[in-house]
Amino acid sequence: MLTRSALLWLSGHEGVKDFAARFSFFKKLTSRFVAGETLDEVVPFIRELNTENCSASFDHLNESVESAVEAGREVEEYLKILAQIDQSKLRSNVSIKLTQFGLGLDPELAYQNARRVVEEAHGRGNFVRVDMEDSNVTQVTIDIFKRLRAEFGLNDVGIVLQSYLRRTLDDAQELVKLPARIRICKGAYNEPPEVAFPDKKDTDDNYVKVMQLLLSSGVYHGIATHDPKMIDATIDFATREGIGKEKYEFQMLYGVRRDLQRQLSRDGFNMRVYVPYGKHWYPYFMRRLAERPANIWFVMKNVLKG
Ligand SMILES: Cc1cc2nc3c(=O)[nH]c(=O)nc-3n(C[C@H](O)[C@H](O)[C@H](O)COP(=O)(O)OP(=O)(O)OC[C@H]3O[C@@H](n4cnc5c(N)ncnc54)[C@H](O)[C@@H]3O)c2cc1C
């Protein structure tokens, strides 16, 4: 049986991607987690979320680009998304990955590209969330974010921290002082024990510590999780501290726990759904499989059925 780390390893291997993509069932399965391949296909999903009182975050999938030209095309796509949000009056912001903007080629290129998108968002009164990738790029992602944050406002650009990283509580303490809008999540990559807690309980305990720090800071943060324990801990803490529902938002992924998304939104909590789309769905999809063994069985059943 494929383990979490084996799936995460596979997520980074292009050869496997090309092999897997030949099977139409595999592509079909991606639709559970990926809203479509083009911007036009995704807009109706976001509109539907908005009618259910959920906001969204567009994510164009294409991490680790290999040329400056490709990175430039990603910038163009995000400028198109921001224009589309305005034109269609959607309640949505955008999430970007710095490797998508050329971080692996040249950090300065990634900064300049991210800057163009944040500047556009600023002009349109929108917001850019810088996703966090694997621990090789944690520091450079934070450094680039700080440069952006120094130039733009609190409500123009935010960042993500991962509670499985040992360094995260320190990072959170430093970043809230800027101040900065932070999305806390558990973390989705394959990390060695030197940098990340191998034990889920430590990741969860750290999540609660960071969540409490964020909620106490008075800034509007994102609590990204599908874990009922983390959600209950957030609601309990906020209630105890007299922190209103309007002061933070829950965030979940497209295709995961739609029932819980609807429930929280009906209960009056702010709910944002992260909606990925694009042709380069493979690494994102594999990370979602790795998060939950039942998803792997779902794939295996379809393979066996032919
Ligand atoms: C809005 C958002 C943005 C994110 N951004 C980043 C980022 O920038 N960087 C990063 O490293 N990670 C990111 N993640 C992923 C995150 O780090 C986790 O890998 C993911 O959210 C699973 O963790 P969990 O908190 O849901 O808890 P878990 O303990 O993993 O899961 C709790 C429960 O949620 C359900 N669940 C969780 N995942 C799945 C799934 N894939 N399919 C079906 N059910 C599932 C299951 O019922 C599970 O028992 C993001 C997650 C969200 C929601």
Side-chain angles (χ1 to χ4, degrees):
M1 192 58 209
L2 290 172
T3 62
R4 176 178 179 274
S5 42
L7 282 161
L8 288 175
W9 181 85
L10 286 172
S11 75
H13 286 76
E14 289 294 313
V16 185
K17 167 188 162 181
D18 295 342
F19 175 75
R22 280 190 223 150
F23 297 94
S24 58
F25 77 87
F26 205 81
K27 236 177 151 186
K28 234 164 84 188
L29 286 173
T30 61
S31 63
R32 186 182 154 190
F33 297 109
V34 178
E37 291 207 342
T38 64
L39 182 55
D40 287 346
E41 283 174 68
V42 186
V43 169
F45 287 112
I46 305 239
R47 198 168 276 129
E48 194 183 322
L49 284 167
N50 287 173
T51 59
E52 291 176 357
N53 215 17
C54 296
S55 56
S57 191
F58 275 93
D59 169 42
H60 185 244
L61 296 168
N62 193 9
E63 47 204 82
S64 306
V65 300
E66 285 170 0
S67 73
V69 172
E70 203 183 349
R73 278 201 294 266
E74 291 303 307
V75 173
E76 295 307 321
E77 184 72 19
Y78 273 94
L79 300 184
K80 250 171 63 186
I81 299 173
L82 287 164
Q84 181 79 63
I85 291 172
D86 271 359
Q87 199 188 315
S88 302
K89 299 190 170 43
L90 300 173
R91 277 200 299 125
S92 184
N93 60 32
V94 297
S95 292
I96 62 171
K97 286 184 173 54
L98 292 182
T99 64
Q100 170 173 40
F101 287 163
L103 186 61
L105 306 167
D106 173 11
E108 188 57 26
L109 173 72
Y111 160 71
Q112 292 297 344
N113 283 336
R115 196 192 165 285
R116 279 180 65 198
V117 176
V118 176
E119 189 175 39
E120 180 75 13
H122 170 78
R124 292 180 178 275
N126 210 323
F127 176 80
V128 178
R129 177 78 64 183
V130 182
D131 282 352
M132 189 55 83
E133 300 176 72
D134 69 66
S135 63
N136 294 315
V137 296
T138 307
Q139 191 56 54
V140 66
T141 301
I142 291 176
D143 292 344
I144 290 176
F145 167 73
K146 281 181 172 166
R147 281 177 77 186
L148 294 167
R149 179 65 189 85
E151 193 180 349
F152 295 94
L154 176 65
N155 292 321
D156 295 328
V157 62
I159 193 168
V160 178
L161 293 176
Q162 302 150 318
S163 72
Y164 65 8
L165 291 189
R166 295 177 188 276
R167 58 178 286 166
T168 286
L169 189 56
D170 291 340
D171 289 334
Q173 273 158 349
E174 193 194 326
L175 289 167
V176 291
K177 285 187 202 141
L178 287 179
R181 278 175 61 176
I182 295 168
R183 170 199 298 153
I184 182 66
C185 66
K186 291 192 187 180
Y189 296 81
N190 220 0
E191 298 292 356
E194 304 80 68
V195 296
F197 301 113
D199 193 338
K200 183 172 168 14
K201 185 178 179 311
D202 294 325
T203 297
D204 289 356
D205 289 349
N206 202 34
Y207 191 102
V208 172
K209 280 186 205 151
V210 177
M211 171 276 288
Q212 293 185 346
L213 174 78
L214 299 187
L215 257 56
S216 306
S217 72
V219 168
Y220 189 84
H221 297 291
I223 308 299
T225 184
H226 316 91
D227 185 345
K229 286 203 300 296
M230 300 301 109
I231 292 166
D232 288 349
T234 305
I235 297 173
D236 287 352
F237 180 75
T239 309
R240 231 174 26 245
E241 298 296 313
I243 298 164
K245 289 175 179 172
E246 72 290 355
K247 303 276 192 216
Y248 61 96
E249 66 184 26
F250 285 113
Q251 300 183 350
M252 293 192 199
L253 301 176
Y254 176 83
V256 181
R257 295 300 313 263
R258 192 73 194 102
D259 55 331
L260 195 51
Q261 295 173 15
R262 289 200 180 101
Q263 185 60 53
L264 286 166
S265 152
R266 272 199 301 267
D267 290 347
F269 292 98
N270 291 333
M271 167 59 61
R272 185 177 302 277
V273 181
Y274 182 100
V275 185
Y277 77 97
K279 292 188 171 54
H280 301 278
W281 46 263
Y282 176 78
Y284 178 87
F285 175 67
M286 293 301 277
R287 288 198 296 276
R288 300 296 75 85
L289 286 191
E291 272 155 13
R292 192 162 181 252
N295 291 337
I296 304 163
W297 284 113
F298 188 59
V299 173
M300 295 307 266
K301 254 182 5 212
N302 279 276
V303 177
L304 294 173
K305 267 197 230 155

